[in-house]
Amino acid sequence: MSYAITAQARTEIGKGSSRRLRHAGKVPAVIYGAGKEPVSIEFEHKDIINIQANADFYTSDITIVLDGKEVKVRVQAMQRHAFKPLIEHVDFTFA
């Protein structure tokens, strides 16, 4: 199954800006990989909360639509809230 997430590039980086994003219902994330510059992104929490429940989400390529360009990625790590059903941060690698 293929998954697609619409994201925007992030310019502000740090704990404070990440907290503001989470409070606004967004998830901070980063895309990194060998030979490419890391890209900080943000996307809506509602876009990932349901699709991350599928087991093949973690093993298949995901398409991130970043500023009109499609980028193929894989989930590397995901940080969740301790007791709420919230995603706090996602690390993606270039596929």
Side-chain angles (χ1 to χ4, degrees):
M1 187 170 196
S2 64
Y3 301 102
I5 299 171
T6 304
Q8 299 83 32
R10 262 191 315 154
T11 54
E12 294 182 6
I13 299 172
K15 185 192 293 188
S17 67
S18 294
R19 284 183 179 174
R20 286 189 291 276
L21 284 174
R22 290 185 197 106
H23 186 69
K26 298 185 182 238
V27 178
V30 65
I31 306 171
Y32 57 88
K36 296 184 179 178
E37 287 291 318
V39 179
S40 296
I41 62 171
E42 66 184 63
F43 51 86
E44 295 290 329
H45 188 267
K46 64 179 177 64
D47 292 344
I48 195 171
I49 191 65
N50 290 328
I51 62 174
Q52 61 87 31
N54 300 327
D56 63 338
F57 174 75
Y58 301 96
T59 57
S60 61
D61 287 350
I62 300 164
T63 303
I64 293 188
V65 181
L66 181 60
D67 300 329
K69 294 177 8 182
E70 292 186 354
V71 180
K72 293 285 190 186
V73 297
R74 285 187 168 238
V75 176
Q76 182 70 28
M78 186 178 295
Q79 297 172 356
R80 302 168 194 271
H81 192 275
F83 58 90
K84 295 179 184 176
L86 298 174
I87 308 298
E88 297 218 329
H89 188 271
V90 184
D91 289 349
F92 294 106
T93 56
F94 290 105

